[in-house]
Amino acid sequence: MSEQRQPAAGADYALEALCGRIYERHRDTIKVQKPHVAVANLVRIVEAVLTLSNRHGFHATTLRDLSRAAGISMGGLYSYFDGKDTLLLMILEQVADAVIEALEAVPEPVRADPAEHLAWLIATHVALSETMQPWFVFAYMEAKAFPPPARKAAVASELATERMFAQVLEAGVRAGCFSVADVDFTATLIKPLLQDWYVKRGKYRKRGVNAATYAARVSDFVLAALTPRPAAESETPLPPKASLPVGKASTPRNPTRKRKVD
Amino acid sequence: MSEQRQPAAGADYALEALCGRIYERHRDTIKVQKPHVAVANLVRIVEAVLTLSNRHGFHATTLRDLSRAAGISMGGLYSYFDGKDTLLLMILEQVADAVIEALEAVPEPVRADPAEHLAWLIATHVALSETMQPWFVFAYMEAKAFPPPARKAAVASELATERMFAQVLEAGVRAGCFSVADVDFTATLIKPLLQDWYVKRGKYRKRGVNAATYAARVSDFVLAALTPRPAAESETPLPPKASLPVGKASTPRNPTRKRKVD
DNA sequence: CAGCATCGAACGAACGCTCGCTTGACTTTT
DNA sequence: AAAAGTCAAGCGAGCGTTCGTTCGATGCTG
């Protein structure tokens, strides 16, 4: 199973390994005993549900579609999860775990230089979201629509990665190699740049941009914005008045019209 | 209706005005004749469907929920659209139109200076997406899941705004005030920064960041990245090898297992 | 021949959508 | 001016369909 494992991180982000972890985490609800059978079928289920959901949305994906795509009967599916929501949760958990695990495995020498550390975080995140692209898209698109446990976990995960960026920025500011007005805000701005890679990957593909190139360009862009300028700090004075017309105090806040029956 | 209309653009982005435009565009399918009645009810329908959909997704929003929230009976709803999909389309069209219309109304003096033009585009986009926040979130989250016409329109709209950014960047490069390696790519990177404002607006709200502040900060960040540096062009050589472990040539690309019946 | 794994018909609930009916403001008739 | 007629507008029970889920029968394997 392991063979060409690069860092000593001990984590593997291939489909099969990820499904193995799902199996272990949900041993109690998964009714199939033999691990190799269970994991093999989980692979087919997860692969199918990611494909179908990323095309039409999780809610629009029916278990009959999933059954056909995975090659497992309706009843068979219920040996692997006790309801549609659980299936969603299985995937979301795995994504959140993978992100934190991958980004925390920063090599010690890299951590020394804030600029290099930042570039490493960006490159690692892009590489991870490239390997697990369908998972990331799924988590990003479906996280909002579901039960509090999943929502909380997703938000927490996002904040955790944001904090990692903030810490690096702060270290850079202290070391004098970054010039940042608001560390937290700038850290927040980096996240959407990383998300764009997997959310709109098709667009980049079409333009011949691959993961490594994307990461390098984003690093360049971000580092350019952070690098202290010699003098002439021309902060944008304030945005040019770009107020949109919004016809007086319209938009009645309480348009409750009485119905016949309540 | 009009009164405090700032630019001479002639566009109004209040809920009622937007529904008025929807009414005009769909006169043929909307069965209600009297404009003031139709627009008033469209307001209640659109407001309700945006609220419900942004909470649980459009697909998960049932017409019964919508009927209750809007205060219009099931049958009544069908006087305003001939199917759930049409309702989705009505909103998507309106968002795409508003974006292009707003961004094309750039004042002539602003266009002269690329930096100012860029800041104006950012500020205008943020201001528009602030005014129409639920619409933007709806369009962003639901665009993928629907019929080719809607998808095509959404992609085209995104490319159009992207091209506007690219043109400004190009003008700035020619004028010597921007230093950009790849104009198209950099233009692409700006979009997600704008989207983050409405997609994660709750997060920014919680931190006391309002629309104007957000736009100003993003402008600063982007302009800092574009401003030519005196010397020392330290392009990131290549990303530090951030390869994730992906257990040998796993991930069987064709895990088709035969079923009993095809 | 156990017993684990899988199957797929069947079920109740909930969906999008329809349609015959009621309502009420306005027009016409007497 | 009162009565009768008209029709746009709105209503909600009910239709057929499809959903998530269940469960007894049926392999398959050691």
Tab-separated table of all heavy atoms in Angstrom, chain A residues 11-13 41 47 71 127-128 144 162 185 188 195 200 203-204 207 217 220 229 235-236 244-245 247 257 259, chain B residues 11-13 41 71 127 140-141 144 162 185 188 195 200 203-204 207 217 220 229 235-236 244-245 247 255 257 259:
chain	number	residue	atom	x	y	z
A	11	ALA	N	0.810	10.616	5.931
A	11	ALA	CA	-0.551	10.758	5.430
A	11	ALA	C	-0.581	10.462	3.942
A	11	ALA	O	0.359	10.739	3.220
A	11	ALA	CB	-1.073	12.160	5.677
A	12	ASP	N	-1.681	9.884	3.521
A	12	ASP	CA	-1.816	9.533	2.116
A	12	ASP	C	-3.162	10.071	1.650
A	12	ASP	O	-4.189	9.832	2.270
A	12	ASP	CB	-1.757	8.010	1.977
A	12	ASP	CG	-1.721	7.585	0.519
A	12	ASP	OD1	-2.174	8.369	-0.339
A	12	ASP	OD2	-1.243	6.483	0.250
A	13	TYR	N	-3.156	10.813	0.556
A	13	TYR	CA	-4.383	11.470	0.137
A	13	TYR	C	-4.988	10.861	-1.116
A	13	TYR	O	-5.750	11.506	-1.816
A	13	TYR	CB	-4.133	12.965	-0.030
A	13	TYR	CG	-3.632	13.598	1.249
A	13	TYR	CD1	-2.295	13.913	1.421
A	13	TYR	CD2	-4.519	13.852	2.291
A	13	TYR	CE1	-1.845	14.480	2.602
A	13	TYR	CE2	-4.077	14.415	3.474
A	13	TYR	CZ	-2.737	14.723	3.620
A	13	TYR	OH	-2.307	15.276	4.799
A	41	ASN	N	-15.803	-0.911	-1.643
A	41	ASN	CA	-17.115	-0.376	-1.996
A	41	ASN	C	-17.261	1.092	-1.613
A	41	ASN	O	-17.921	1.856	-2.316
A	41	ASN	CB	-18.215	-1.211	-1.337
A	41	ASN	CG	-18.482	-2.501	-2.102
A	41	ASN	OD1	-18.230	-2.568	-3.303
A	41	ASN	ND2	-18.973	-3.509	-1.413
A	47	GLU	N	-16.555	7.916	-4.867
A	47	GLU	CA	-16.225	8.409	-6.195
A	47	GLU	C	-17.492	8.807	-6.949
A	47	GLU	O	-17.566	9.866	-7.582
A	47	GLU	CB	-15.466	7.327	-6.970
A	47	GLU	CG	-14.679	7.866	-8.145
A	47	GLU	CD	-13.725	6.813	-8.702
A	47	GLU	OE1	-14.037	5.615	-8.604
A	47	GLU	OE2	-12.648	7.198	-9.237
A	71	GLY	N	-22.728	1.105	-8.838
A	71	GLY	CA	-22.872	-0.320	-9.076
A	71	GLY	C	-23.231	-1.088	-7.816
A	71	GLY	O	-22.858	-2.239	-7.634
A	127	ALA	N	-1.602	22.047	-3.840
A	127	ALA	CA	-1.305	20.661	-4.194
A	127	ALA	C	-2.332	19.707	-3.580
A	127	ALA	O	-2.808	18.769	-4.237
A	127	ALA	CB	0.099	20.284	-3.726
A	128	LEU	N	-2.694	19.959	-2.340
A	128	LEU	CA	-3.679	19.100	-1.677
A	128	LEU	C	-5.037	19.199	-2.357
A	128	LEU	O	-5.701	18.192	-2.614
A	128	LEU	CB	-3.809	19.486	-0.202
A	128	LEU	CG	-4.831	18.673	0.602
A	128	LEU	CD1	-4.447	17.205	0.642
A	128	LEU	CD2	-4.982	19.228	2.010
A	144	LYS	N	-22.703	24.666	3.380
A	144	LYS	CA	-23.673	25.601	3.943
A	144	LYS	C	-25.016	24.960	4.230
A	144	LYS	O	-25.727	25.351	5.132
A	144	LYS	CB	-23.880	26.760	2.978
A	144	LYS	CG	-24.777	26.396	1.802
A	144	LYS	CD	-24.983	27.540	0.856
A	144	LYS	CE	-25.450	27.057	-0.494
A	144	LYS	NZ	-26.854	26.662	-0.561
A	162	GLU	N	-6.961	29.897	8.235
A	162	GLU	CA	-6.757	31.344	8.178
A	162	GLU	C	-5.764	31.778	9.248
A	162	GLU	O	-4.911	32.636	9.005
A	162	GLU	CB	-8.108	32.024	8.388
A	162	GLU	CG	-8.175	33.425	7.855
A	162	GLU	CD	-9.572	33.993	8.054
A	162	GLU	OE1	-10.539	33.366	7.590
A	162	GLU	OE2	-9.673	35.040	8.704
A	185	PHE	N	-6.826	40.665	8.302
A	185	PHE	CA	-7.563	40.898	7.058
A	185	PHE	C	-6.812	40.331	5.862
A	185	PHE	O	-7.395	39.673	5.000
A	185	PHE	CB	-7.808	42.393	6.865
A	185	PHE	CG	-8.663	42.697	5.676
A	185	PHE	CD1	-10.039	42.638	5.762
A	185	PHE	CD2	-8.083	43.022	4.456
A	185	PHE	CE1	-10.831	42.897	4.670
A	185	PHE	CE2	-8.873	43.288	3.356
A	185	PHE	CZ	-10.243	43.225	3.454
A	188	THR	N	-7.125	36.713	5.606
A	188	THR	CA	-8.442	36.358	5.084
A	188	THR	C	-8.483	36.434	3.559
A	188	THR	O	-9.154	35.635	2.911
A	188	THR	CB	-9.507	37.303	5.664
A	188	THR	OG1	-9.505	37.174	7.094
A	188	THR	CG2	-10.880	36.975	5.142
A	195	GLN	N	-9.026	28.985	-2.888
A	195	GLN	CA	-10.268	28.312	-3.258
A	195	GLN	C	-10.527	28.384	-4.752
A	195	GLN	O	-11.079	27.466	-5.347
A	195	GLN	CB	-11.434	28.932	-2.483
A	195	GLN	CG	-11.437	28.519	-1.026
A	195	GLN	CD	-12.429	29.301	-0.194
A	195	GLN	OE1	-12.884	30.368	-0.599
A	195	GLN	NE2	-12.750	28.769	0.978
A	200	LYS	N	-12.821	26.810	-9.651
A	200	LYS	CA	-12.885	27.130	-11.076
A	200	LYS	C	-11.756	26.459	-11.841
A	200	LYS	O	-11.191	27.029	-12.772
A	200	LYS	CB	-12.787	28.648	-11.274
A	200	LYS	CG	-13.631	29.440	-10.296
A	200	LYS	CD	-14.284	30.628	-10.946
A	200	LYS	CE	-14.979	31.485	-9.911
A	200	LYS	NZ	-14.093	32.541	-9.366
A	203	LYS	N	-11.640	26.369	-15.681
A	203	LYS	CA	-11.221	27.577	-16.378
A	203	LYS	C	-9.699	27.627	-16.524
A	203	LYS	O	-9.185	27.951	-17.600
A	203	LYS	CB	-11.710	28.792	-15.590
A	203	LYS	CG	-11.581	30.095	-16.321
A	203	LYS	CD	-12.304	31.212	-15.569
A	203	LYS	CE	-11.550	31.625	-14.317
A	203	LYS	NZ	-12.234	32.760	-13.634
A	204	TYR	N	-9.007	27.290	-15.447
A	204	TYR	CA	-7.541	27.343	-15.498
A	204	TYR	C	-6.980	26.257	-16.403
A	204	TYR	O	-6.011	26.472	-17.129
A	204	TYR	CB	-6.967	27.238	-14.087
A	204	TYR	CG	-7.295	28.436	-13.229
A	204	TYR	CD1	-8.189	28.355	-12.176
A	204	TYR	CD2	-6.727	29.680	-13.500
A	204	TYR	CE1	-8.501	29.462	-11.409
A	204	TYR	CE2	-7.027	30.794	-12.734
A	204	TYR	CZ	-7.923	30.681	-11.687
A	204	TYR	OH	-8.232	31.777	-10.937
A	207	ARG	N	-6.825	27.163	-19.856
A	207	ARG	CA	-5.794	28.135	-20.204
A	207	ARG	C	-4.389	27.575	-20.025
A	207	ARG	O	-3.404	28.313	-20.067
A	207	ARG	CB	-5.949	29.377	-19.334
A	207	ARG	CG	-7.298	30.039	-19.495
A	207	ARG	CD	-7.362	31.321	-18.728
A	207	ARG	NE	-8.717	31.833	-18.674
A	207	ARG	CZ	-9.082	32.919	-18.021
A	207	ARG	NH1	-8.164	33.603	-17.352
A	207	ARG	NH2	-10.323	33.328	-17.997
A	217	ARG	N	2.245	31.436	-9.200
A	217	ARG	CA	1.727	32.764	-9.548
A	217	ARG	C	1.058	33.425	-8.345
A	217	ARG	O	1.215	34.627	-8.121
A	217	ARG	CB	0.717	32.642	-10.688
A	217	ARG	CG	1.320	32.207	-12.002
A	217	ARG	CD	2.068	33.358	-12.680
A	217	ARG	NE	2.778	32.893	-13.858
A	217	ARG	CZ	2.192	32.667	-15.040
A	217	ARG	NH1	0.903	32.901	-15.188
A	217	ARG	NH2	2.899	32.222	-16.047
A	220	ASP	N	3.704	34.645	-6.016
A	220	ASP	CA	4.281	35.893	-6.541
A	220	ASP	C	3.374	37.069	-6.225
A	220	ASP	O	3.811	38.102	-5.719
A	220	ASP	CB	4.461	35.796	-8.063
A	220	ASP	CG	5.665	34.945	-8.420
A	220	ASP	OD1	6.466	34.656	-7.504
A	220	ASP	OD2	5.792	34.575	-9.597
A	229	ARG	N	7.743	48.538	0.424
A	229	ARG	CA	8.207	49.419	-0.630
A	229	ARG	C	9.177	50.416	0.002
A	229	ARG	O	9.046	50.750	1.177
A	229	ARG	CB	7.034	50.155	-1.251
A	229	ARG	CG	7.030	50.165	-2.756
A	229	ARG	CD	5.612	50.379	-3.233
A	229	ARG	NE	4.737	49.414	-2.595
A	229	ARG	CZ	4.678	48.135	-2.986
A	229	ARG	NH1	5.402	47.721	-3.987
A	229	ARG	NH2	3.893	47.295	-2.358
A	235	GLU	N	-1.075	54.827	0.187
A	235	GLU	CA	-2.328	54.161	0.540
A	235	GLU	C	-3.458	54.808	-0.259
A	235	GLU	O	-3.571	56.025	-0.320
A	235	GLU	CB	-2.620	54.348	2.040
A	235	GLU	CG	-1.630	53.658	2.947
A	235	GLU	CD	-2.008	52.200	3.192
A	235	GLU	OE1	-3.210	51.950	3.370
A	235	GLU	OE2	-1.111	51.352	3.180
A	236	THR	N	-4.293	53.974	-0.821
A	236	THR	CA	-5.449	54.529	-1.507
A	236	THR	C	-6.212	55.397	-0.503
A	236	THR	O	-6.597	54.925	0.559
A	236	THR	CB	-6.375	53.425	-2.003
A	236	THR	OG1	-5.581	52.416	-2.615
A	236	THR	CG2	-7.374	53.966	-2.990
A	244	LEU	N	-24.068	53.039	-5.346
A	244	LEU	CA	-25.060	52.633	-6.324
A	244	LEU	C	-26.371	53.335	-6.009
A	244	LEU	O	-26.677	53.594	-4.861
A	244	LEU	CB	-25.290	51.126	-6.266
A	244	LEU	CG	-24.338	50.205	-6.998
A	244	LEU	CD1	-24.147	50.686	-8.435
A	244	LEU	CD2	-23.018	50.110	-6.303
A	245	PRO	N	-27.137	53.619	-7.025
A	245	PRO	CA	-28.466	54.194	-6.794
A	245	PRO	C	-29.402	53.144	-6.216
A	245	PRO	O	-29.477	52.040	-6.722
A	245	PRO	CB	-28.924	54.607	-8.192
A	245	PRO	CG	-28.136	53.767	-9.124
A	245	PRO	CD	-26.843	53.444	-8.436
A	247	GLY	N	-32.953	53.767	-5.165
A	247	GLY	CA	-34.236	54.459	-5.023
A	247	GLY	C	-34.734	54.675	-3.611
A	247	GLY	O	-35.336	53.795	-3.042
A	257	ARG	N	-48.465	40.599	4.238
A	257	ARG	CA	-49.860	40.794	3.883
A	257	ARG	C	-50.642	39.662	4.537
A	257	ARG	O	-50.223	38.533	4.566
A	257	ARG	CB	-50.007	40.737	2.360
A	257	ARG	CG	-51.438	40.970	1.912
A	257	ARG	CD	-51.784	40.052	0.783
A	257	ARG	NE	-51.322	40.587	-0.501
A	257	ARG	CZ	-51.580	39.962	-1.655
A	257	ARG	NH1	-52.247	38.840	-1.663
A	257	ARG	NH2	-51.123	40.460	-2.764
A	259	ARG	N	-53.045	36.731	5.167
A	259	ARG	CA	-53.681	35.686	4.392
A	259	ARG	C	-55.057	35.430	4.954
A	259	ARG	O	-55.343	35.774	6.106
A	259	ARG	CB	-52.876	34.382	4.487
A	259	ARG	CG	-51.600	34.384	3.714
A	259	ARG	CD	-51.802	34.176	2.236
A	259	ARG	NE	-52.173	32.808	1.875
A	259	ARG	CZ	-51.403	31.745	2.045
A	259	ARG	NH1	-50.249	31.866	2.597
A	259	ARG	NH2	-51.818	30.573	1.657
B	11	ALA	N	-29.824	53.450	-13.624
B	11	ALA	CA	-30.128	52.118	-13.117
B	11	ALA	C	-30.405	52.196	-11.619
B	11	ALA	O	-29.828	52.983	-10.907
B	11	ALA	CB	-28.968	51.177	-13.364
B	12	ASP	N	-31.321	51.352	-11.182
B	12	ASP	CA	-31.689	51.346	-9.779
B	12	ASP	C	-31.614	49.901	-9.309
B	12	ASP	O	-32.193	49.015	-9.908
B	12	ASP	CB	-33.107	51.910	-9.638
B	12	ASP	CG	-33.494	52.096	-8.177
B	12	ASP	OD1	-32.911	51.411	-7.319
B	12	ASP	OD2	-34.365	52.924	-7.910
B	13	TYR	N	-30.900	49.675	-8.220
B	13	TYR	CA	-30.675	48.299	-7.803
B	13	TYR	C	-31.439	47.931	-6.545
B	13	TYR	O	-31.063	46.999	-5.838
B	13	TYR	CB	-29.178	48.036	-7.649
B	13	TYR	CG	-28.425	48.287	-8.936
B	13	TYR	CD1	-27.692	49.451	-9.126
B	13	TYR	CD2	-28.500	47.372	-9.971
B	13	TYR	CE1	-27.017	49.689	-10.318
B	13	TYR	CE2	-27.841	47.595	-11.161
B	13	TYR	CZ	-27.100	48.748	-11.330
B	13	TYR	OH	-26.454	48.974	-12.517
B	41	ASN	N	-46.087	41.554	-5.871
B	41	ASN	CA	-46.013	40.140	-5.517
B	41	ASN	C	-44.677	39.521	-5.909
B	41	ASN	O	-44.164	38.649	-5.202
B	41	ASN	CB	-47.170	39.383	-6.166
B	41	ASN	CG	-48.457	39.561	-5.393
B	41	ASN	OD1	-48.436	39.818	-4.187
B	41	ASN	ND2	-49.584	39.443	-6.068
B	71	GLY	N	-46.433	34.357	1.345
B	71	GLY	CA	-47.826	34.689	1.580
B	71	GLY	C	-48.662	34.606	0.320
B	71	GLY	O	-49.634	35.330	0.150
B	127	ALA	N	-19.716	47.492	-3.963
B	127	ALA	CA	-20.926	48.234	-3.590
B	127	ALA	C	-22.162	47.563	-4.185
B	127	ALA	O	-23.201	47.423	-3.520
B	127	ALA	CB	-20.833	49.682	-4.066
B	140	TYR	N	-24.212	32.838	-7.260
B	140	TYR	CA	-22.937	32.145	-7.118
B	140	TYR	C	-23.137	30.684	-6.741
B	140	TYR	O	-22.477	29.795	-7.284
B	140	TYR	CB	-22.096	32.846	-6.061
B	140	TYR	CG	-20.723	32.274	-5.896
B	140	TYR	CD1	-19.726	32.547	-6.817
B	140	TYR	CD2	-20.424	31.447	-4.818
B	140	TYR	CE1	-18.461	32.022	-6.678
B	140	TYR	CE2	-19.157	30.917	-4.669
B	140	TYR	CZ	-18.185	31.194	-5.591
B	140	TYR	OH	-16.940	30.668	-5.460
B	141	MET	N	-24.055	30.428	-5.818
B	141	MET	CA	-24.221	29.072	-5.305
B	141	MET	C	-25.049	28.170	-6.223
B	141	MET	O	-24.873	26.958	-6.217
B	141	MET	CB	-24.881	29.106	-3.915
B	141	MET	CG	-24.089	29.863	-2.870
B	141	MET	SD	-22.379	29.301	-2.706
B	141	MET	CE	-22.632	27.757	-1.819
B	144	LYS	N	-24.260	26.630	-10.986
B	144	LYS	CA	-23.708	25.396	-11.548
B	144	LYS	C	-24.770	24.343	-11.811
B	144	LYS	O	-24.635	23.532	-12.695
B	144	LYS	CB	-22.678	24.817	-10.591
B	144	LYS	CG	-23.307	24.106	-9.400
B	144	LYS	CD	-22.286	23.546	-8.457
B	144	LYS	CE	-22.874	23.272	-7.097
B	144	LYS	NZ	-23.705	22.077	-7.010
B	162	GLU	N	-14.210	39.755	-16.025
B	162	GLU	CA	-12.785	39.461	-15.987
B	162	GLU	C	-12.052	40.246	-17.074
B	162	GLU	O	-10.957	40.776	-16.859
B	162	GLU	CB	-12.588	37.966	-16.192
B	162	GLU	CG	-11.278	37.440	-15.664
B	162	GLU	CD	-11.206	35.942	-15.839
B	162	GLU	OE1	-12.095	35.243	-15.332
B	162	GLU	OE2	-10.261	35.486	-16.507
B	185	PHE	N	-4.006	36.337	-16.205
B	185	PHE	CA	-4.018	35.568	-14.957
B	185	PHE	C	-4.294	36.472	-13.762
B	185	PHE	O	-5.088	36.146	-12.881
B	185	PHE	CB	-2.677	34.847	-14.775
B	185	PHE	CG	-2.664	33.959	-13.573
B	185	PHE	CD1	-3.172	32.677	-13.650
B	185	PHE	CD2	-2.145	34.406	-12.365
B	185	PHE	CE1	-3.166	31.853	-12.547
B	185	PHE	CE2	-2.140	33.582	-11.258
B	185	PHE	CZ	-2.655	32.294	-11.343
B	188	THR	N	-7.790	37.371	-13.467
B	188	THR	CA	-8.543	36.253	-12.924
B	188	THR	C	-8.475	36.204	-11.404
B	188	THR	O	-9.434	35.841	-10.739
B	188	THR	CB	-8.010	34.932	-13.506
B	188	THR	OG1	-8.151	34.977	-14.927
B	188	THR	CG2	-8.767	33.749	-12.958
B	195	GLN	N	-15.580	38.206	-4.877
B	195	GLN	CA	-16.620	37.255	-4.483
B	195	GLN	C	-16.615	36.996	-2.989
B	195	GLN	O	-17.664	36.790	-2.385
B	195	GLN	CB	-16.438	35.944	-5.245
B	195	GLN	CG	-16.854	36.066	-6.700
B	195	GLN	CD	-16.457	34.860	-7.526
B	195	GLN	OE1	-15.618	34.067	-7.146
B	195	GLN	NE2	-17.086	34.731	-8.684
B	200	LYS	N	-18.827	35.410	1.967
B	200	LYS	CA	-18.529	35.251	3.402
B	200	LYS	C	-18.779	36.547	4.150
B	200	LYS	O	-18.063	36.903	5.086
B	200	LYS	CB	-17.058	34.856	3.572
B	200	LYS	CG	-16.603	33.775	2.604
B	200	LYS	CD	-15.683	32.793	3.247
B	200	LYS	CE	-15.091	31.857	2.204
B	200	LYS	NZ	-13.799	32.329	1.684
B	203	LYS	N	-18.773	36.750	7.980
B	203	LYS	CA	-17.482	36.754	8.669
B	203	LYS	C	-16.942	38.172	8.788
B	203	LYS	O	-16.461	38.579	9.849
B	203	LYS	CB	-16.508	35.868	7.871
B	203	LYS	CG	-15.219	35.574	8.581
B	203	LYS	CD	-14.418	34.509	7.831
B	203	LYS	CE	-13.799	35.053	6.562
B	203	LYS	NZ	-12.956	34.050	5.883
B	204	TYR	N	-17.036	38.922	7.704
B	204	TYR	CA	-16.505	40.289	7.727
B	204	TYR	C	-17.349	41.185	8.621
B	204	TYR	O	-16.819	42.037	9.342
B	204	TYR	CB	-16.439	40.843	6.302
B	204	TYR	CG	-15.420	40.129	5.443
B	204	TYR	CD1	-15.802	39.299	4.398
B	204	TYR	CD2	-14.068	40.277	5.704
B	204	TYR	CE1	-14.864	38.636	3.620
B	204	TYR	CE2	-13.115	39.623	4.931
B	204	TYR	CZ	-13.528	38.798	3.891
B	204	TYR	OH	-12.593	38.148	3.139
B	207	ARG	N	-16.405	41.075	12.076
B	207	ARG	CA	-15.138	41.732	12.410
B	207	ARG	C	-15.213	43.241	12.192
B	207	ARG	O	-14.185	43.928	12.215
B	207	ARG	CB	-14.025	41.173	11.532
B	207	ARG	CG	-13.863	39.673	11.682
B	207	ARG	CD	-12.673	39.195	10.899
B	207	ARG	NE	-12.640	37.738	10.859
B	207	ARG	CZ	-11.720	37.046	10.216
B	207	ARG	NH1	-10.777	37.676	9.554
B	207	ARG	NH2	-11.741	35.735	10.219
B	217	ARG	N	-9.497	48.108	1.254
B	217	ARG	CA	-8.412	47.197	1.591
B	217	ARG	C	-8.015	46.329	0.397
B	217	ARG	O	-6.838	46.083	0.152
B	217	ARG	CB	-8.829	46.282	2.756
B	217	ARG	CG	-9.032	47.004	4.059
B	217	ARG	CD	-7.704	47.348	4.723
B	217	ARG	NE	-7.907	48.181	5.893
B	217	ARG	CZ	-8.297	47.729	7.077
B	217	ARG	NH1	-8.515	46.443	7.255
B	217	ARG	NH2	-8.465	48.545	8.086
B	220	ASP	N	-6.030	48.393	-1.978
B	220	ASP	CA	-4.654	48.530	-1.482
B	220	ASP	C	-3.841	47.290	-1.794
B	220	ASP	O	-2.726	47.359	-2.313
B	220	ASP	CB	-4.671	48.751	0.037
B	220	ASP	CG	-5.071	50.181	0.390
B	220	ASP	OD1	-5.094	51.026	-0.529
B	220	ASP	OD2	-5.353	50.439	1.566
B	229	ARG	N	8.348	47.527	-8.639
B	229	ARG	CA	9.364	47.674	-7.610
B	229	ARG	C	10.625	48.216	-8.273
B	229	ARG	O	10.861	47.963	-9.452
B	229	ARG	CB	9.657	46.319	-6.978
B	229	ARG	CG	9.701	46.335	-5.475
B	229	ARG	CD	9.423	44.931	-4.971
B	229	ARG	NE	8.211	44.431	-5.596
B	229	ARG	CZ	6.995	44.805	-5.212
B	229	ARG	NH1	6.845	45.670	-4.226
B	229	ARG	NH2	5.942	44.336	-5.816
B	235	GLU	N	11.306	37.048	-8.541
B	235	GLU	CA	10.272	36.075	-8.872
B	235	GLU	C	10.517	34.811	-8.067
B	235	GLU	O	11.652	34.309	-8.033
B	235	GLU	CB	10.341	35.731	-10.371
B	235	GLU	CG	9.995	36.884	-11.276
B	235	GLU	CD	8.499	36.991	-11.508
B	235	GLU	OE1	7.857	35.946	-11.659
B	235	GLU	OE2	7.989	38.128	-11.514
B	236	THR	N	9.486	34.324	-7.470
B	236	THR	CA	9.657	33.064	-6.755
B	236	THR	C	10.176	32.045	-7.759
B	236	THR	O	9.535	31.799	-8.778
B	236	THR	CB	8.317	32.576	-6.188
B	236	THR	OG1	7.663	33.676	-5.568
B	236	THR	CG2	8.523	31.472	-5.183
B	244	LEU	N	2.202	16.126	-2.418
B	244	LEU	CA	1.503	15.335	-1.433
B	244	LEU	C	1.727	13.871	-1.733
B	244	LEU	O	1.880	13.483	-2.881
B	244	LEU	CB	-0.001	15.610	-1.482
B	244	LEU	CG	-0.546	16.813	-0.749
B	244	LEU	CD1	0.026	16.862	0.681
B	244	LEU	CD2	-0.207	18.088	-1.468
B	245	PRO	N	1.745	13.058	-0.696
B	245	PRO	CA	1.855	11.615	-0.916
B	245	PRO	C	0.547	11.073	-1.476
B	245	PRO	O	-0.519	11.382	-0.982
B	245	PRO	CB	2.097	11.057	0.483
B	245	PRO	CG	1.560	12.099	1.408
B	245	PRO	CD	1.694	13.421	0.700
B	247	GLY	N	-0.023	7.547	-2.436
B	247	GLY	CA	0.232	6.104	-2.501
B	247	GLY	C	0.281	5.510	-3.898
B	247	GLY	O	-0.749	5.248	-4.478
B	255	PRO	N	-12.937	1.709	-12.144
B	255	PRO	CA	-13.313	0.705	-11.164
B	255	PRO	C	-14.663	0.086	-11.480
B	255	PRO	O	-15.413	-0.273	-10.602
B	255	PRO	CB	-13.403	1.530	-9.878
B	255	PRO	CG	-13.783	2.905	-10.353
B	255	PRO	CD	-13.400	3.027	-11.796
B	257	ARG	N	-17.192	-2.324	-11.861
B	257	ARG	CA	-17.424	-3.722	-11.550
B	257	ARG	C	-18.740	-4.109	-12.193
B	257	ARG	O	-19.709	-3.360	-12.161
B	257	ARG	CB	-17.494	-3.907	-10.041
B	257	ARG	CG	-17.694	-5.355	-9.637
B	257	ARG	CD	-18.676	-5.457	-8.510
B	257	ARG	NE	-18.005	-5.267	-7.202
B	257	ARG	CZ	-18.688	-5.361	-6.059
B	257	ARG	NH1	-19.969	-5.601	-6.054
B	257	ARG	NH2	-18.072	-5.174	-4.912
B	259	ARG	N	-22.276	-5.475	-12.831
B	259	ARG	CA	-23.453	-5.806	-12.040
B	259	ARG	C	-24.102	-7.025	-12.673
B	259	ARG	O	-23.829	-7.369	-13.833
B	259	ARG	CB	-24.468	-4.670	-12.089
B	259	ARG	CG	-24.077	-3.462	-11.310
B	259	ARG	CD	-24.325	-3.617	-9.838
B	259	ARG	NE	-25.742	-3.626	-9.458
B	259	ARG	CZ	-26.584	-2.629	-9.612
B	259	ARG	NH1	-26.185	-1.530	-10.188
B	259	ARG	NH2	-27.815	-2.712	-9.195
